[in-house]
Amino acid sequence: MTRTAIGLRRGAALAALLLAGTATGAQAQFSGDPGAGDAPAAGSASSSEPGADRQGRRGERQRKQRQVDVAPYLEVGQVVGVNLKGGNGDDVLTYTTVAAGVDAAIVTRRIELAGTLRYEHQFGWGSASNQDIISGLARGRVEVSRGLNLEAGALATRTRIGGQGRGGDLLFRGDGSTADLYSVYAGPTLTQRLAGLDIGAGYRFGYTKADIDTPSVAGVRPAGAFDSSTNHVAWASVGQRPGDLPFGWQVSGGYEREDARQFDQRYEGKFARADVTVPISPTVALLGGVGYEDIEIGQRDPLLDTNGVPVRDAAGRYVTDKSKPRQLAFDTDGLIWDAGVMWQPSRRTSLTAKVGRRYGDTIYTGSFAYRPDHATLFQVGVYDGLSSLGRGLSGGLSALPTQFDPTRNPISGDVDSCVFGQGTGGCLNNQIGNVGAFQYRNRGVQAVLSSSYGRWHYGVGVGYDRRRLLVPRGSVLANLNGITDESYYLFLSAGRQLDADSDLNISGYLSYFDNGAPGVGEVQSAGLSASYSRRFWRNLTGTAAASINAFDQDGFNSQLIGSALVGLRYNF
């Protein structure tokens, strides 16, 4: 009898974990990217935990309170890059860098923030050009009052356009176009428990902009490069944990809209649904949900010249014909459902798997998380949805942890596409690997490992993404409808503190991008970099770094680029 009672309590606690974070589950209905990821339909344990688990997390937060580390710095460096194989142009490029920036890690009772911001000016030697670069990544949360948070995130980085992926050294820029990519999101989230009910709500505004630095070379012209977009997401939910009833339930709804400058594109979606969570053992619960959704994606045609050819501007973007009406690229309206199971054998391990019907098709989603100790996290997410560059970046930034160690490429100074911290991690490879203009249906999987052992800390991010372009069938660009891109990516980093004044860091990446667009072939890239830093005097640190990068695209000469840097940094 006692054993049965304990089992029932554990089963109820499992369901409570699913139902506690009602806002998270409703927000996850918009997700079409990793990170924004799959969450239990009736919530997730990450938002609000009952009982002993909530106390444990509260104790962990208290142990981390009053960690305020804000480090402004000035930096100078000398960089040389050698084109060891292939390419067009000079074999050697040299430039001097002068940079100012700040790295921040803040954890207090009400504020959590991790970020890095850097402005760099490059003085080119010889044929190398001068340029200004702004880069950074930030993610933060402010607790305004109990259960009410303000969330925000921002990204500034460089990437390739035209379906070439992000990989490759951007020092030699003759191999294709590059873009400065900026994205920001902000909004409130609310989780409250009132009269035995779990209430959640939230709103998120996002803005994304791509500035193309250099025009595309012949043969690599982008099939519609992204310009800018704004997006709005609002959601609300109410639910009840098992207790009075032998199951938990939740009712939720939401609305999302994105307006993009290219093609005067518009995405509009809304949903309403009901979910139940039924514990069938102390460690297993059945999940089920049914609802209604209405999604429309529309865009105008590009302007045509006298020969009937779509007009592009100097950056390779299609020029929108404002006189033409919007045509639907995607339209679905009707019943949605999903069913699945959650297995949680301990507080360290959880697995969720679902199958359902959305977007007029069968979908499969899931997640796995394993945390063997406070410093290690391994998580996997399987996603299936509708997305775009703007909405994907807003969702990806919101899914990043609020505590991570900001890291950069030691040669270029660009922020790394994956971030890792003590038992946290996240990647944006999928979102920034292809700066395309079209909306798309995407499916994929992403895994992240973050850990530390002794003086070592390391992280790994790996994933696969498949996206199918959505273009109106009556458009002059209808030949692009249904084109499928596939990408595989791997990022890894490791570091060791050698002594009180020096450390060593190593990072590498590997990517494969198969662009289905006509005239654009497969792209493969790989790179490895290492840096050694030593503090000479007080806050003055010297750095020596080297990297090797390989880039290969069908129809073009492959490239092998070696780079080296020596520099000084003064931290204030």
Side-chain angles (χ1 to χ4, degrees):
M1 186 71 178
T2 303
R3 182 175 301 174
T4 302
I6 293 175
L8 291 174
R9 286 197 297 269
R10 290 186 62 185
L14 172 63
L17 288 174
L18 290 169
L19 288 163
T22 53
T24 304
Q27 181 184 2
Q29 296 301 315
F30 299 108
S31 172
D33 289 281
D38 178 67
S44 111
S46 61
S47 297
S48 175
E49 303 82 0
D53 195 51
R54 176 186 297 172
Q55 294 174 2
R57 289 180 177 264
R58 183 180 301 164
E60 182 178 350
R61 287 195 297 267
Q62 289 174 352
R63 289 193 299 270
K64 295 180 179 179
Q65 286 175 8
R66 308 312 307 171
Q67 176 188 344
V68 179
D69 184 8
V70 180
Y73 64 86
L74 291 176
E75 186 175 286
V76 295
Q78 186 67 36
V79 178
V80 58
V82 181
N83 205 336
L84 302 173
K85 177 184 177 182
N88 301 308
D90 294 334
D91 290 332
V92 179
L93 289 180
T94 305
Y95 60 87
T96 302
T97 66
V98 177
V102 59
D103 295 332
I106 300 175
V107 180
T108 67
R109 182 178 293 274
R110 294 188 176 274
I111 300 174
E112 292 187 6
L113 170 68
T116 176
L117 178 63
R118 174 187 175 99
Y119 164 77
E120 177 179 321
H121 182 79
Q122 297 180 351
F123 297 90
W125 292 27
S127 60
S129 60
N130 297 342
Q131 57 180 327
D132 297 295
I133 300 173
I134 297 176
S135 61
L137 177 65
R139 173 72 171 92
R141 176 188 300 116
V142 178
E143 184 180 3
V144 179
S145 62
R146 185 181 180 87
L148 176 61
N149 295 325
L150 291 180
E151 310 261 356
L155 170 72
T157 189
R158 293 186 298 170
T159 187
R160 297 176 183 270
I161 61 173
Q164 297 170 303
R166 189 176 187 245
D169 197 315
L170 298 178
L171 175 60
F172 289 82
R173 309 176 98 186
D175 56 2
S177 296
T178 60
D180 295 315
L181 183 62
Y182 307 98
S183 186
V184 62
Y185 93 93
T189 60
L190 174 68
T191 57
Q192 294 285 346
R193 185 160 176 80
L194 181 64
L197 298 178
D198 291 298
I199 299 173
Y203 167 78
R204 185 175 73 214
F205 169 79
Y207 172 76
T208 300
K209 171 68 177 176
D211 284 331
I212 297 179
D213 297 334
T214 57
S216 301
V217 299
V220 198
R221 301 190 70 186
F226 182 86
D227 187 352
S228 65
S229 74
T230 60
N231 63 86
H232 305 261
V233 180
W235 67 93
S237 62
V238 58
Q240 186 177 33
R241 308 174 189 181
D244 296 335
L245 299 174
F247 59 87
W249 61 270
Q250 175 185 286
V251 177
S252 61
Y255 175 81
E256 182 175 22
R257 173 165 169 164
E258 179 182 33
D259 292 282
R261 184 172 180 181
Q262 61 280 1
F263 305 116
D264 198 12
Q265 196 176 82
R266 177 174 295 169
Y267 170 98
E268 190 169 26
K270 44 187 173 289
F271 80 91
R273 61 178 291 149
D275 294 270
V276 294
T277 303
V278 183
I280 60 174
S281 80
T283 60
V284 178
L286 298 180
L287 313 174
V290 63
Y292 168 85
E293 75 175 357
D294 183 2
I295 299 176
E296 289 187 0
I297 301 175
Q299 66 181 54
R300 304 184 196 275
D301 268 346
L303 187 68
L304 303 179
D305 62 17
T306 55
N307 297 318
V309 178
V311 177
R312 299 175 187 254
D313 60 19
R317 299 187 181 101
Y318 289 111
V319 177
T320 304
D321 188 347
K322 296 286 188 178
S323 66
K324 296 293 181 66
R326 284 194 185 91
Q327 302 180 59
L328 289 179
F330 184 85
D331 183 18
T332 185
D333 177 6
L335 181 73
I336 60 174
W337 63 267
D338 58 55
V341 60
M342 180 177 182
W343 175 59
Q344 190 175 38
S346 70
R347 290 170 51 186
R348 299 180 182 275
T349 306
S350 64
L351 171 68
T352 302
K354 294 181 184 179
V355 61
R357 183 81 178 177
R358 288 195 70 183
Y359 320 118
D361 196 5
T362 302
I363 65 168
Y364 303 91
T365 60
S367 62
F368 173 77
Y370 175 57
R371 189 184 295 271
D373 55 61
H374 73 283
T376 303
L377 171 67
F378 175 66
Q379 60 184 11
V380 181
V382 178
Y383 55 92
D384 189 337
L386 299 173
S387 193
S388 66
L389 179 64
R391 290 187 292 119
L393 275 174
S394 293
L397 285 171
S398 69
L400 291 180
T402 55
Q403 299 176 46
F404 59 83
D405 299 321
T407 58
R408 294 175 174 271
N409 183 296
I411 304 294
S412 67
D414 294 323
V415 293
D416 289 333
S417 55
C418 292
V419 295
F420 308 100
Q422 186 173 356
T424 63
C427 293
L428 295 173
N429 296 67
N430 174 57
Q431 289 87 350
I432 62 181
N434 186 1
V435 188
F438 297 107
Q439 303 274 333
Y440 52 83
R441 169 76 183 275
N442 69 327
R443 297 172 173 174
V445 59
Q446 184 179 91
V448 173
L449 169 67
S450 176
S451 186
S452 61
Y453 180 76
R455 292 189 174 185
W456 282 98
H457 56 85
Y458 53 89
V460 180
V462 60
Y464 164 77
D465 182 71
R466 181 182 186 272
R467 59 180 64 178
R468 178 170 55 86
L469 301 187
L470 302 174
V471 182
R473 295 183 178 180
S475 169
V476 297
L477 300 175
N479 62 309
L480 298 178
N481 183 47
I483 283 180
T484 300
D485 300 334
E486 291 185 293
S487 63
Y488 301 82
Y489 51 88
L490 167 69
F491 178 85
L492 54 90
S493 68
R496 176 181 172 84
Q497 184 177 355
L498 302 178
D499 54 44
D501 295 319
S502 61
D503 57 69
L504 175 68
N505 290 280
I506 302 171
S507 63
Y509 69 90
L510 179 66
S511 69
Y512 170 82
F513 185 83
D514 184 5
N515 193 320
V520 182
E522 300 175 355
V523 180
Q524 304 172 64
S525 59
L528 183 66
S529 63
S531 65
Y532 170 77
S533 299
R534 183 170 185 82
R535 185 174 61 182
F536 295 120
W537 176 77
R538 293 186 179 178
N539 296 331
L540 183 63
T541 302
T543 299
S547 71
I548 187 77
N549 291 271
F551 181 80
D552 180 62
Q553 180 176 1
D554 289 350
F556 294 85
N557 293 329
S558 59
Q559 287 184 277
L560 182 64
I561 301 168
S563 306
L565 169 144
V566 291
L568 290 173
R569 170 186 287 203
Y570 185 83
N571 290 308
F572 294 93

